[in-house]
Amino acid sequence: MNQLINSVSSYLKKEFGEKTVKLAIDGGFTCPNRDGSKGTGGCLFCSEGGGGDFASTIEDQINLLSEKWPKAKYIAYFQNHTNTYAPVDVLREKYYEALNNPLISGIAIATRPDCINEEVLDLLSEINENHFMWVELGLQTIHEDTAELINRCYDLSVFDKAIQALCQRGIKVVVHLILGLPGESKADMIESVKYVCNSGAWGLKLHLLNVVRGSRMEKDYSDYNSFPSIDDYVSFICDLLEIIPPEIVMHRLTGDAPRNILITPEWSYRKRTILNGINSELHLRGSYQGCKAEK
């Protein structure tokens, strides 16, 4: 095998012929778990920025990244809060405003499974016919007791329905899972990963649970550590990669937060150290993504 991990960076380079960078865009959306329609206060782990603490505008993001990657292409990534949670005419305007920018090569839309209705599906299908696109669904866990604890405000059947509808329309779906949620064992997390791998997902995001300022976890779990050390986390990610089918595109293997709002794990901001550790561990094991996947 030429590569140890089927990473999104490698996938996009093959797709577009050169380095392609996601621009974290703040679309100005809120969330049904914040405005009272489903809940208030957001999910237990969510910061005030709605999971997009680095998000801003296309222009600001390009200015920030163009010096590092002067010849890169760009994906407009609607990241924070719930980016299909608005009237469809508002969604259409925001999505096409990004896509009509000559520097943008495609679009990625992060949302909740309970915010995918027929009108939204029709709009997404229309965009998907003419543009490179994927949709991200925040699942976090398949376990209903954990979902209730984190105040997710929808059950697993809602996710099943949403991903099935998106896949039936030929839309690429990336699923988010959070590793280290309170009360979950490694066996529980493995079950979630296996479930997503059999769901029709095109891509997967594995996000290290961070306790950040402004989240409900700061109040209820301020001293909680999702993993005891970098080494323990790295080893577990390698265990997961070995059982994830090689065709699934890996979009994230950890999760970092701005240091000024990070509480625990105190080492999670060391993203490069974590990623290098994962690659080193895979080399030491002589393993790679999918080497132990179920056939």
Side-chain angles (χ1 to χ4, degrees), residues 134-168:
W134 73 72
V135 172
E136 302 191 1
L137 297 179
L139 175 60
Q140 322 314 352
T141 179
I142 66 166
H143 302 288
E144 300 291 9
D145 53 347
T146 311
E148 183 175 355
L149 175 69
I150 66 176
N151 195 42
R152 193 179 67 188
C153 294
Y154 70 83
D155 60 33
L156 186 59
S157 65
V158 176
F159 165 79
D160 293 337
K161 181 180 178 181
I163 193 169
Q164 181 180 30
L166 289 162
C167 290
Q168 283 177 345

Side-chain angles (χ1 to χ4, degrees), residues 17 78 80 87 92 101 106 109 140 156 158 174 213 227 292:
F78 286 85
N80 56 330
R92 177 184 295 276
N101 186 313
I109 300 165
Q140 322 314 352
L156 186 59
V158 176
V174 179
R213 304 189 194 285
F227 288 85
K292 297 180 181 178

